[in-house]
Amino acid sequence: MKDKIYKTFILIMFLIPGLIIGACLGSVTGRYGGAEMPGVVNPETERHNELAELILAEKEKNTELKLLLKDLERTKADIIEGTGTGEELRKELYNVKLAAGFTEAEGPGITVKLDDADYRKGISPGFLVIHDSDVTAVLNELNNAGAQALSVNSERIIAISGIICTGPTIRINRSRYAVPYVIHAIGEPEKLHYLLDRSRIVSLLRKYGITVEINKEKELRMPSYRYGISSLVTGLEVDTN
Amino acid sequence: MISGKNISIAAVLLILGIMLSWQYKSLNERKAVIEYENKREEQLKEELQNEKANNELLAIQIENLRDEIGQYQAAQGDIDQNLALLNKELDYVKMIAGFYPVKGKGVIVTMDSKPSGEYGKMTENDVLRVINEMRAADIQAISVNGERLMATSEIKEAGGYFIINGRQVLPPIEIRAIADPSNVEYALNMTGGLLKRIEAYVDVSIKKSDEVLIPAVRNIGTVVRTDLMIPVQ
């Protein structure tokens, strides 16, 4: 009898803190959690949530598709390797892909972060925001300093990549990005840093208060061009003359 | 009796643990949603559109890759067929990478400082901006004064001339691109577009052509360097 009371006592002693902790965590979730009044639903919030859920669902699908793509790439490589032929060809293919930006790559280099300047009275906002031509000018300086691979906000820059203004965002390859722009460049960190830091474009940007942060990196990871190359080029033929 | 007590404590702890982890999990899920809480609806719609487009692109890539796998599978055991497939792939990649000269429909854009020089001279920035505008108009290959442009090609001014791919280039600048010619022309000539902004001091002519020739990258060893990079498997 005494034991039973004791057990019940322990049960309650553990349940109460458990419930309290649970309730605490629940309310931490804020507007979407315990803090919202039950039964009162703001239609705007609801639509907002719906969109957020849809984006998350697409992102989840994105992860799955990427995994599948990686899987298929491995399958293809395995099949080709399994045949044991064309080792030279495979090596060349790999090197060309590395040079052209169609594989992920690693190496030393620098990161450059560009961000709009704060709004100030008396200066036209046009001088305070980063333009597509500013980004291309920075990339050009990096190329001049011997960059071997470039990316902007995880978009690998290839020979035919354009960077273009679309309202308040810029389009790189086929996607749009807003500030900040983060550029990665593989190359000699000292040289890249030295030449970019002293370039005309960077002093011009800094003059207007635009953020230009340059950091040397021992090891950078460069994404591959992510749109696939099979459908990249049509109506183009090799000139055999 | 001791073991009975232990069991009940264990059970209580178990329940507590489950509750905690469940709460933690839902907290994490919410975090992902909260990330979007401060964004405007238009931003969310745009992001959703972006994500959808991403997934469509991935789906196309997957389909293409499955096709290729099918071809390689069909060629299994047949060495010649296998080499042919590899060669075909290598040729294609070399073509887009700039390792082969190519030809196709396109445009030839010529630009130079106006002779009067009254409103200044053509600078590397003007050349870069025209090239960038062309690249954004879905071109497939591009060269400047005989230099195939790669992702890492520089265009630097050096007192009256330019350096492109490490080689001296004299004005006028002739940019060749393989592309839908009207696309490029439209992109450059748009109202308020680039050419309008530089026409005071730069002469630009756009010529459409059914066959534009674009050279291969001149010297793969010096223009395209990869010695600091290692591929990630």
Side-chain angles (χ1 to χ4, degrees):
Chain A
M1 192 57 202
K2 218 177 163 192
D3 247 354
K4 206 167 185 183
I5 292 170
Y6 179 70
K7 268 190 261 173
T8 320
F9 174 71
I10 287 200
L11 183 77
I12 291 168
M13 283 309 282
F14 275 95
L15 255 178
I16 290 171
L19 287 171
I20 290 173
I21 291 172
C24 282
L25 280 175
S27 69
V28 171
T29 61
R31 205 193 286 188
Y32 297 97
E36 198 157 71
M37 295 272 275
V40 182
V41 183
N42 181 347
E44 207 170 300
T45 318
E46 181 140 292
R47 207 167 49 234
H48 208 92
N49 286 358
E50 237 168 68
L51 278 169
E53 299 279 359
L54 283 173
I55 292 171
L56 285 177
E58 287 292 330
K59 282 199 165 160
E60 213 165 286
K61 195 174 153 200
N62 189 274
T63 316
E64 279 168 33
L65 290 176
K66 272 187 185 155
L67 280 176
L68 178 59
L69 194 69
K70 270 239 157 80
D71 232 37
L72 288 171
E73 266 160 10
R74 212 168 301 132
T75 308
K76 187 184 151 193
D78 284 348
I79 293 173
I80 296 174
E81 224 153 284
T83 60
T85 52
E87 200 178 319
E88 296 266 296
L89 284 178
R90 290 203 309 264
K91 231 173 136 184
E92 197 183 350
L93 186 60
Y94 218 73
N95 286 334
V96 179
K97 280 187 172 176
L98 178 64
F102 301 139
T103 51
E104 255 182 276
E106 252 172 22
I110 60 167
T111 57
V112 186
K113 190 179 153 199
L114 302 173
D115 206 344
D116 291 346
D118 290 329
Y119 173 76
R120 277 169 288 157
K121 257 199 165 147
I123 298 184
S124 151
F127 290 116
L128 303 176
V129 300
I130 297 156
H131 297 275
D132 46 3
S133 55
D134 300 329
V135 180
T136 31
V138 168
L139 295 181
N140 192 45
E141 290 304 328
L142 294 170
N143 283 340
N144 189 47
Q148 303 193 350
L150 299 163
S151 71
V152 182
N153 286 29
S154 303
E155 288 287 336
R156 181 70 169 265
I157 303 302
I158 63 168
I160 55 173
S161 294
I163 294 172
I164 201 87
C165 233
T166 49
T169 56
I170 62 175
R171 187 170 65 103
I172 309 165
N173 293 333
R174 301 184 199 180
S175 303
R176 282 195 266 174
Y177 295 91
V179 285
Y181 303 121
V182 180
I183 299 168
H184 287 207
I186 289 184
E188 292 169 45
E190 288 294 335
K191 195 173 168 191
L192 290 169
H193 186 282
Y194 185 92
L195 288 176
L196 183 66
D197 199 45
R198 285 157 181 77
S199 67
R200 218 168 59 192
I201 177 70
V202 166
S203 48
L204 194 70
L205 292 174
R206 282 181 174 152
K207 191 176 123 192
Y208 288 108
I210 284 172
T211 305
V212 184
E213 267 173 39
I214 312 172
N215 284 306
K216 288 178 246 179
E217 308 283 346
K218 280 201 189 80
E219 184 90 358
L220 266 179
R221 190 138 179 183
M222 186 73 48
S224 69
Y225 181 73
R226 62 192 191 95
Y227 301 94
I229 52 177
S230 321
S231 51
L232 194 61
V233 156
T234 50
L236 189 69
E237 52 177 311
V238 174
D239 178 34
T240 45
N241 297 324
Chain B
M1 247 16 232
I2 293 294
S3 75
K5 195 159 83 186
N6 283 347
I7 287 170
S8 70
I9 289 178
V12 168
L13 285 174
L14 186 71
I15 292 168
L16 186 63
I18 290 169
M19 277 171 62
L20 260 171
S21 67
W22 180 77
Q23 279 289 348
Y24 182 72
K25 193 166 155 268
S26 77
L27 177 67
N28 263 351
E29 276 171 11
R30 286 299 168 203
K31 242 193 216 154
V33 175
I34 286 169
E35 192 198 321
Y36 297 103
E37 188 179 324
N38 296 323
K39 293 195 179 170
R40 289 196 305 175
E41 206 174 310
E42 298 81 58
Q43 269 177 305
L44 290 183
K45 276 181 184 160
E46 191 179 318
E47 205 168 327
L48 181 60
Q49 210 51 49
N50 266 343
E51 291 297 332
K52 275 188 177 167
N54 271 347
N55 284 340
E56 276 162 26
L57 276 167
L58 277 171
I60 293 170
Q61 274 172 264
I62 285 166
E63 203 174 307
N64 286 337
L65 205 48
R66 281 194 169 130
D67 271 2
E68 284 168 35
I69 289 172
Q71 285 175 25
Y72 275 108
Q73 262 168 346
Q76 244 169 345
D78 184 341
I79 291 172
D80 289 343
Q81 186 64 26
N82 239 302
L83 289 178
L85 280 173
L86 268 177
N87 261 316
K88 196 176 131 196
E89 194 175 343
L90 179 60
D91 272 347
Y92 179 76
V93 175
K94 275 177 134 178
M95 182 176 73
I96 29 181
F99 290 26
Y100 287 148
V102 287
K103 62 183 178 186
K105 245 182 160 175
V107 288
I108 298 174
V109 175
T110 317
M111 55 192 294
D112 202 352
S113 305
K114 270 201 172 14
S116 68
E118 199 181 336
Y119 297 101
K121 288 198 152 204
M122 174 176 76
T123 65
E124 74 185 36
N125 250 335
D126 301 319
V127 181
L128 276 176
R129 278 156 82 186
V130 168
I131 289 170
N132 187 45
E133 205 76 34
M134 290 169 76
R135 275 174 163 155
D138 279 337
I139 57 152
Q140 311 203 336
I142 184 164
S143 71
V144 181
N145 291 35
E147 286 294 322
R148 179 76 169 257
L149 289 191
M150 313 293 280
T152 52
S153 296
E154 84 288 3
I155 294 168
K156 285 302 287 178
E157 221 173 315
Y161 62 92
F162 295 90
I163 294 178
I164 300 175
N165 285 346
R167 181 193 245 181
Q168 295 177 358
V169 166
L170 300 176
I173 292 294
E174 188 204 68
I175 308 162
R176 295 172 173 220
I178 294 178
D180 180 341
S182 21
N183 257 359
V184 177
E185 194 180 33
Y186 176 76
L188 289 174
N189 271 335
M190 224 158 44
T191 330
L194 183 54
L195 295 195
K196 287 272 164 302
R197 277 178 273 153
I198 62 175
E199 69 184 0
Y201 59 101
V202 185
D203 276 326
V204 183
S205 82
I206 305 171
K207 205 178 92 191
K208 298 186 198 177
S209 169
D210 279 341
E211 192 175 276
V212 175
L213 284 170
I214 294 193
V217 57
R218 182 170 40 88
N219 185 337
I220 292 171
T222 55
V223 176
V224 185
R225 287 178 49 206
T226 56
D227 57 298
L228 291 173
M229 284 194 278
I230 51 161
V232 179
Q233 295 284 8

